């Protein structure tokens, strides 16, 4: 029941909250505190002890009962102090491929002279991380959230909470930063690069294919298991992938309409594999999507621009 009430209150509070900008500082107006189920049970035990003290006129019983009650009240103050005046701002979330976990960074600063213990950061789906912050210290907290599909992934409303030191009180506050991570389509396991067109007089170059062995390169996420160089791994040379060349022209165009698949999401997965393979081979490649055309280039910036276009294809209006 406590969990159900907490979820309803969280949904209500976050629904009223605007996006935070810059640095957020927790204060008396943004922090909530209630007894935990253990705290309520502890209060019940104290009430029974007090009744027993009154009934049997136990002087030492009164001392013990009020001592425990004082301890509970002091623990409430310490629980609140563990949260107040914390400063938080959101960091950058790097792009990931669908199926991987996006890493959202949040910077917590403790300007006080006392350390903060037993802090927790949680999103509305239950993804969670715990941390402590030294007195006057700074902590870079990473919250991992799995991605399921391409496009933008936002952490949504977040809850920072603590039950330190005794677990008798639950103290929490909300964060709602306008931060998000870009999720690229999951690359197809393997896809032959399309034939390229060489302008007159430019000749041809070697590009990714299945004809001639062209050496090894470091493993990259999305590489198929069939091309892993297991012998090199056995010789303790690290995880490497075998490369093959085919003779192609200088100008490589990656066209969504040329992807050998009927389903649009499968086509985008093939496009992602093409982009990664063309970049790994150092080729100049262009991208063609309905309404989008990026001229042939090479380099990390061009690769990321192409992957972004593929990830957001058909989603910009949404």
């Amino acid at each position: 029941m406590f969990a159900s009430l907490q979820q309803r209150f969280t949904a209500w509070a976050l629904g009223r909250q605007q996006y935070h900008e810059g640095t957020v500082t927790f204060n008396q107006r943004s922090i909530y505190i209630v007894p935990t189920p253990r705290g309520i049970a502890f209060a019940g035990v104290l009430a029974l002890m007090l009744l027993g003290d009154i009934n049997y006129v136990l002087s030492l019983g009164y001392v013990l009962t009020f001592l425990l009650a004082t301890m509970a009240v002091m623990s409430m103050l310490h629980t609140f102090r563990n949260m107040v005046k914390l400063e938080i701002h959101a960091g950058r979330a790097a792009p990931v491929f669908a199926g991987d976990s996006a890493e959202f960074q949040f910077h917590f600063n403790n300007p006080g002279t006392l350390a903060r213990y037993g802090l927790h950061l949680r999103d509305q789906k239950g993804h969670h991380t715990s941390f402590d912050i030294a007195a006057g210290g700074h902590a870079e907290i990473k919250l991992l959230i799995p991605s399921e599909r391409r496009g933008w992934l936002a952490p949504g409303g977040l809850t920072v909470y603590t039950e330190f030191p005794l677990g008798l009180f639950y103290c929490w506050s909300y964060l709602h930063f306008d931060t998000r991570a870009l999720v690229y389509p999951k690359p197809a396991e393997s896809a032959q690069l399309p034939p390229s067109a060489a302008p007159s007089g430019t000749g041809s170059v070697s590009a990714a294919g299945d004809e001639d062995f062209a050496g090894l390169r470091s493993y990259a996420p999305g590489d198929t298991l069939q091309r892993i160089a297991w012998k090199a791994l056995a010789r303790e040379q690290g995880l490497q992938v075998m490369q093959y060349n085919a003779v192609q022209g200088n100008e490589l165009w990656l066209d969504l309409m040329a992807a050998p698949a009927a389903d649009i999401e499968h086509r985008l997965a093939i496009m992602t594999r093409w982009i990664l393979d063309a970049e790994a081979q150092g080729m100049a490649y262009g991208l063609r999507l309905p309404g989008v055309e990026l001229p042939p280039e090479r380099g990390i910036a061009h690769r990321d621009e192409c992957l972004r276009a593929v990830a957001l294809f058909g989603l910009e209006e949404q």
Side-chain angles (χ1 to χ4, degrees):
M1 176 154 180
F2 178 79
S4 177
L5 290 175
Q6 180 183 342
Q7 290 176 357
R8 291 183 182 180
F9 183 82
T10 300
W12 171 79
L14 289 174
R16 298 173 61 248
Q17 197 173 55
Q18 301 296 323
Y19 282 122
H20 288 128
E21 296 181 359
T23 299
V24 175
T25 302
F26 291 155
N27 54 37
Q28 290 85 344
R29 298 185 60 183
S30 61
I31 296 177
Y32 308 89
I33 186 167
V34 295
T36 63
R38 281 172 293 181
I40 295 173
F42 186 76
V45 171
L46 289 179
L48 292 176
M49 290 177 61
L50 182 59
L51 289 175
D53 298 337
I54 295 172
N55 186 54
Y56 295 103
V57 193
L58 299 175
S59 300
L60 291 178
Y62 282 116
V63 173
L64 178 60
T65 301
F66 287 110
L67 179 63
L68 292 175
T70 302
M71 179 191 69
V73 172
M74 293 302 296
S75 75
M76 178 176 64
L77 295 176
H78 280 278
T79 303
F80 179 80
R81 184 209 60 80
N82 204 41
M83 288 272 295
V84 73
K85 294 186 179 180
L86 277 179
E87 300 172 350
I88 309 99
H89 69 272
R92 180 180 178 274
V96 296
F97 292 99
D100 296 337
S101 291
E103 188 177 90
F104 291 92
Q105 296 183 356
F106 299 92
H107 301 273
F108 284 74
N109 184 52
N110 174 18
T113 58
L114 297 175
R116 314 296 179 100
Y117 298 104
L119 294 169
H120 304 264
L121 178 64
R122 181 187 64 219
D123 71 353
Q124 297 181 67
K125 294 183 179 180
H127 306 115
H128 167 273
T129 186
S130 304
F131 57 97
D132 302 323
I133 310 177
H138 175 86
E140 183 179 293
I141 306 306
K142 299 176 181 179
L143 181 65
L144 299 179
I145 300 180
S147 62
E148 299 177 357
R149 58 182 65 87
R150 67 184 177 91
W152 291 112
L153 174 64
L158 302 172
T159 303
V160 181
Y161 69 94
T162 184
E163 294 181 2
F164 177 86
L166 300 179
L168 300 180
F169 292 91
Y170 177 83
C171 183
W172 78 99
S173 189
Y174 297 116
L175 296 172
H176 201 192
F177 289 108
D178 186 15
T179 182
R180 55 187 182 171
L182 182 58
V183 181
Y184 301 140
K186 183 178 181 180
E189 290 189 4
S190 61
Q192 178 75 33
L193 280 170
S196 57
S200 178
T202 59
S204 62
V205 296
S206 292
D210 296 308
E211 298 178 5
D212 301 318
F213 178 71
L216 302 174
R217 64 170 173 83
S218 298
Y219 174 82
D223 284 330
T224 179
L225 294 178
Q226 288 83 351
R227 291 200 173 185
I228 292 180
W230 299 108
K231 292 183 179 180
L233 182 62
R235 292 194 294 269
E236 299 183 354
Q237 295 179 356
L239 194 58
Q240 301 185 68
V241 177
M242 294 181 288
Q243 299 180 96
Y244 295 87
N245 281 344
V247 177
Q248 297 187 345
N250 283 348
E251 195 172 85
L252 177 64
W253 281 97
L254 308 178
D255 194 327
L256 180 66
M257 297 298 104
D263 178 70
I264 186 63
E265 295 300 326
H266 192 193
R267 286 189 177 189
L268 293 172
I270 292 174
M271 293 286 288
T272 303
R273 168 51 57 197
W274 282 350
I275 293 169
L276 296 176
D277 286 348
E279 181 62 37
Q281 294 297 321
M283 302 179 64
Y285 54 94
L287 183 74
R288 285 190 179 127
L289 301 171
V292 178
E293 182 172 308
L294 301 177
E297 290 184 30
R298 61 168 61 90
I300 299 300
H302 180 62
R303 181 202 66 183
D304 292 346
E305 186 179 8
C306 291
L307 289 174
R308 179 188 177 92
V310 170
L312 298 179
F313 175 71
L315 303 179
E316 288 287 4
E317 294 183 359
Q318 301 177 24

